[in-house]
Amino acid sequence: MSSFNLSVDVNQNGNVKNVDSLSTLDDIDDIDFAKLLEKPRPLNIDRLRSLDERSLHELTGSPQLRNADNASRAPDHADYVISPSVGRRSGFNTPRSQPGFESHPMVGEAWDALRRSMVYFRGQPVGTIAAVDNSEEKLNYDQVFVRDFVPSALAFLMNGEPDIVKNFLLKTLRLQSWEKKIDRFQLGEGVMPASFKVFHDPVRNHETLIADFGESAIGRVAPVDSGFWWIILLRAYTKSTGDSSLADMPECQKGIRLILSLCLSEGFDTFPTLLCADGCCMIDRRMGVYGYPIEIQALFFMALRCALLLLKHDGEGKEMVEQIVKRLHALSYHMRSYFWLDLKQLNDIYRYKTEEYSHTAVNKFNVIPDSLPEWVFDFMPPHGGFFIGNVSPARMDFRWFALGNCIAILSSLATPEQSTAIMDLIESRWEELVGEMPLKVCYPAIESHEWRIVTGCDPKNTRWSYHNGGSWPVLLWLLTAACIKTGRPQIARRAIEEAEARLHKDHWPEYYDGKVGRYVGKQSRKNQTWSIAGYLVAKMMLEDPSHVGMVCLEEDKQMKPVMRRSNSWTC
């Protein structure tokens, strides 16, 4: 496979490059993409609403979120079927707001910036590069990252422009089939790339794609989250367009099965969670998230649930569906029972006995109470809670991780009560988790001796910087979606107002530093695409809350276990 050590400058500013004559690459275009890129055929969707449609429809009808034009809508429930193009312009124009929604001046400039980041392959848009910042060395910021493209994709879907999302899904699916080697070791067939870039050969006048599966990444870690994001985005595309023909393609069905086969294979695991290395997700450097990080577990849960909606229940698909259902039941129970922390659970852990043996043990992971960090006792509010960062033998990482907790709400990994508690925590600890720029990727920062041990003295992850307590504007869309799902849009509105005071003026930084996110990150790229897209998606969700249906799944009542709280000391 080709390496990234190619010095090229291909469409890095996002401008459209017309390609009049391109040579055919047999190893890329086995699929007839031209045929697949035809406009999706609308489906006759059954008007019987699912649980998620009912709840979101009721939410969009609430006084806080109702737009001025809602009164003119027909009283039936057919209006819930998402039609993002209604009331908007597609193409290269800034979308107009619905009546009654006051658009911020930043919105138009954000759309312009997002379009400048678009990458083209053989005349077709296939993604957005990580950042358009010509003041810094490009490194890998000129590539299309799978996780980074998700908010961009959602923005385009909400604006009625699904083609770029379809192209992206097909191209990354094709890259999945490539042989993947790091040194002499071959990766699993289902691994999705972390990123790709377009290589243009000016002599032969043709383009090809070059993918990175971790062999060029810092630490050489394969991206565990890429496959999960791909499945989640495929479901969002299907939900948004009403077009199931893409997901029904044999190639897409196989792609889903290959991704999940990596996770559902039997081995030595005693837990339903996924064992992962440091640096395998958004937190892509050594930060002590090895083991069973909440971000991966929440994404895994959501990808499994999305796959249930996408897979055909025949042949190989039926067998995979049965595996998924079993895993979902085990995973939901494990996460809700052992990763959840609130005031009562914290007190129970504080009073744990240790060295318990046999199946009757309460302290099942043999966590030593003296290992509880001092900060968590003051951080935990009376009526809040959250999923902690990691649980493994004799180890609990009590840090708050924003992405994992927001995905837990959206996927209904969190019960309705737990979702409410997470929102209560955010409101109670606003200064710590939001501050002057939403949102802390994790809290608190690790420092001093612990920083040296955990990060290996990483100069980029110093305290309150980058992934060590830095503030990431991209998380705004996840927070907004979680707020809308839980009926707390005022929290999202407040966070968006905080971001609007700084983001555009600071040229859309990648992240902010400091305890309250006051300073542009010391190594932060400007014009970071997912900061731009995250803001746009958050704004469009508040404008039309039905958009949340793309990334939201209601609780499966059959999956809900009987919750048994710890009974360490009841006397």
Side-chain angles (χ1 to χ4, degrees):
M1 189 185 68
S2 300
S3 166
F4 267 150
N5 297 326
L6 292 170
S7 178
V8 293
D9 186 13
V10 182
N11 283 334
Q12 292 169 358
N13 59 1
N15 293 331
V16 180
K17 182 166 67 64
N18 294 322
V19 183
D20 297 325
S21 61
L22 296 174
S23 301
T24 300
L25 295 180
D26 295 334
D27 60 340
I28 296 291
D29 284 342
D30 291 344
I31 303 173
D32 186 356
F33 291 110
K35 185 176 180 181
L36 295 171
L37 295 177
E38 294 173 359
K39 292 291 182 182
R41 300 185 302 277
L43 303 178
N44 293 323
I45 300 175
D46 189 348
R47 299 309 184 189
L48 292 175
R49 295 174 298 150
S50 64
L51 280 173
D52 60 320
E53 289 171 339
R54 279 202 297 274
S55 62
L56 281 172
H57 183 274
E58 289 157 7
L59 176 60
T60 56
S62 65
Q64 303 100 308
L65 298 176
R66 189 183 298 116
N67 292 324
D69 64 337
N70 280 359
S72 63
R73 292 185 177 181
D76 66 1
H77 299 310
D79 66 331
Y80 179 74
V81 178
I82 295 175
S83 179
S85 59
V86 175
R88 292 176 175 79
R89 294 193 298 264
S90 60
F92 281 78
N93 297 318
T94 301
R96 62 173 178 266
S97 300
Q98 293 182 356
F101 183 82
E102 185 177 351
S103 182
H104 194 279
M106 282 172 55
V107 171
E109 297 188 37
W111 272 107
D112 291 339
L114 180 61
R115 298 194 189 283
R116 284 194 296 270
S117 72
M118 292 170 68
V119 173
Y120 290 78
F121 177 66
R122 301 183 179 181
Q124 296 287 342
V126 293
T128 52
I129 59 174
V132 185
D133 186 354
N134 296 320
S135 65
E136 299 281 349
E137 184 184 359
K138 288 183 172 59
L139 296 176
N140 59 354
Y141 283 83
D142 62 345
Q143 295 168 25
V144 180
F145 281 83
V146 172
R147 76 174 68 95
D148 291 38
F149 181 65
V150 171
S152 296
L154 294 176
F156 287 120
L157 288 173
M158 292 175 187
N159 196 43
E161 303 176 57
D163 285 355
I164 185 173
V165 183
K166 190 173 195 176
N167 297 344
F168 170 85
L169 290 167
L170 289 170
K171 294 304 180 187
T172 47
L173 177 66
R174 188 69 188 94
L175 293 172
Q176 183 195 41
S177 65
W178 283 16
E179 183 182 72
K180 302 172 276 281
K181 281 189 175 181
I182 297 181
D183 294 330
R184 298 183 180 183
F185 183 74
Q186 186 164 321
L187 277 68
E189 188 180 1
V191 174
M192 280 288 188
S195 63
F196 66 86
K197 68 186 298 182
V198 179
F199 170 62
H200 177 68
D201 184 343
V203 177
R204 298 175 59 192
N205 191 29
H206 73 232
E207 294 176 320
T208 187
L209 299 179
I210 303 173
D212 175 19
F213 293 92
E215 71 271 29
S216 299
I218 296 172
R220 302 301 186 263
V221 179
V224 177
D225 63 337
S226 286
F228 299 151
W229 280 122
W230 187 89
I231 294 173
I232 292 166
L233 185 56
L234 178 59
R235 188 261 177 182
Y237 171 88
T238 304
K239 182 80 172 177
S240 172
T241 62
D243 173 27
S244 64
S245 62
L246 177 62
D248 288 344
M249 285 174 49
E251 293 85 357
C252 282
Q253 292 287 305
K254 181 181 178 182
I256 296 171
R257 292 196 304 269
L258 287 174
I259 291 168
L260 297 183
S261 293
L262 293 172
C263 312
L264 298 175
S265 59
E266 296 178 352
F268 291 99
D269 298 306
T270 55
F271 313 130
T273 42
L274 289 180
L275 181 62
C276 304
D278 243 334
C280 66
C281 51
M282 177 183 175
I283 298 179
D284 59 1
R285 301 166 74 93
R286 183 175 161 189
M287 267 293 294
V289 300
Y290 63 89
Y292 304 90
I294 179 61
E295 177 176 336
I296 291 297
Q297 314 314 322
L299 286 171
F300 180 35
F301 183 87
M302 188 165 190
L304 288 173
R305 293 203 62 197
C306 288
L308 278 183
L309 301 172
L310 298 170
L311 283 171
K312 294 180 179 179
H313 293 209
D314 55 0
E316 294 178 281
K318 183 178 180 181
E319 184 180 348
M320 178 64 70
V321 165
E322 291 173 354
Q323 289 181 275
I324 290 172
V325 171
K326 290 180 181 178
R327 190 60 163 263
L328 281 171
H329 279 280
L331 184 59
S332 61
Y333 178 82
H334 184 90
M335 296 298 296
R336 293 169 180 176
S337 300
Y338 304 123
F339 274 68
W340 180 252
L341 188 73
D342 55 20
L343 190 62
K344 182 183 184 305
Q345 184 76 346
L346 179 60
N347 203 166
D348 286 348
I349 297 172
Y350 176 70
R351 295 166 61 86
Y352 266 168
K353 294 178 179 179
T354 60
E355 308 301 328
E356 292 179 302
Y357 183 76
S358 86
H359 66 278
T360 61
V362 174
N363 184 1
K364 294 183 179 180
F365 298 94
N366 197 36
V367 175
I368 311 301
D370 287 346
S371 68
L372 284 164
E374 291 184 8
W375 64 266
V376 75
F377 293 100
D378 294 327
F379 179 72
M380 182 60 69
H383 302 293
F386 63 103
F387 289 97
I388 63 175
N390 218 311
V391 177
S392 58
R395 176 179 177 241
M396 279 185 163
D397 182 351
F398 290 92
R399 285 177 293 175
W400 150 273
F401 289 87
L403 193 152
N405 277 273
C406 287
I407 291 292
I409 292 174
L410 296 177
S411 65
S412 290
L413 172 59
T415 65
E417 296 78 16
Q418 289 172 336
S419 297
T420 297
I422 293 171
M423 287 294 115
D424 289 343
L425 176 81
I426 292 173
E427 280 199 303
S428 298
R429 297 294 176 257
W430 187 268
E431 187 71 10
E432 293 89 341
L433 301 180
V434 181
E436 297 179 15
M437 177 57 64
L439 184 63
K440 287 293 180 193
V441 65
C442 74
Y443 180 90
I446 53 177
E447 49 190 321
S448 304
H449 179 67
E450 185 182 14
W451 168 78
R452 289 190 288 272
I453 298 298
V454 172
T455 73
C457 301
D458 187 352
K460 195 167 186 177
N461 272 327
T462 53
R463 64 177 183 172
W464 307 115
S465 181
Y466 200 55
H467 291 141
N468 188 13
S471 300
W472 289 71
V474 64
L475 297 172
L476 195 58
W477 80 265
L478 284 161
L479 175 64
T480 300
C483 289
I484 292 172
K485 188 187 177 196
T486 55
R488 310 275 278 273
Q490 70 280 2
I491 298 178
R493 192 170 290 111
R494 180 183 175 190
I496 290 172
E497 289 172 358
E498 293 274 9
E500 286 176 337
R502 297 278 309 276
L503 266 181
H504 182 258
K505 181 177 67 175
D506 294 336
H507 305 288
W508 307 100
E510 179 183 13
Y511 64 94
Y512 286 77
D513 285 354
K515 258 193 171 182
V516 294
R518 183 170 296 164
Y519 306 100
V520 174
K522 59 184 176 182
Q523 295 188 42
S524 178
R525 299 304 174 107
K526 300 295 183 71
N527 296 309
Q528 184 80 13
T529 303
W530 70 353
S531 295
I532 297 165
Y535 167 73
L536 286 172
V537 171
K539 291 288 283 187
M540 286 190 282
M541 282 180 175
L542 276 186
E543 175 184 355
D544 182 359
S546 69
H547 285 316
V548 177
M550 294 186 205
V551 291
C552 177
L553 297 163
E554 281 300 318
E555 185 175 27
D556 184 343
K557 301 300 181 183
Q558 294 180 347
M559 195 186 308
K560 187 174 182 180
V562 177
M563 290 297 295
R564 294 183 176 90
R565 305 306 302 273
S566 295
N567 298 313
S568 182
W569 286 85
T570 56
C571 56

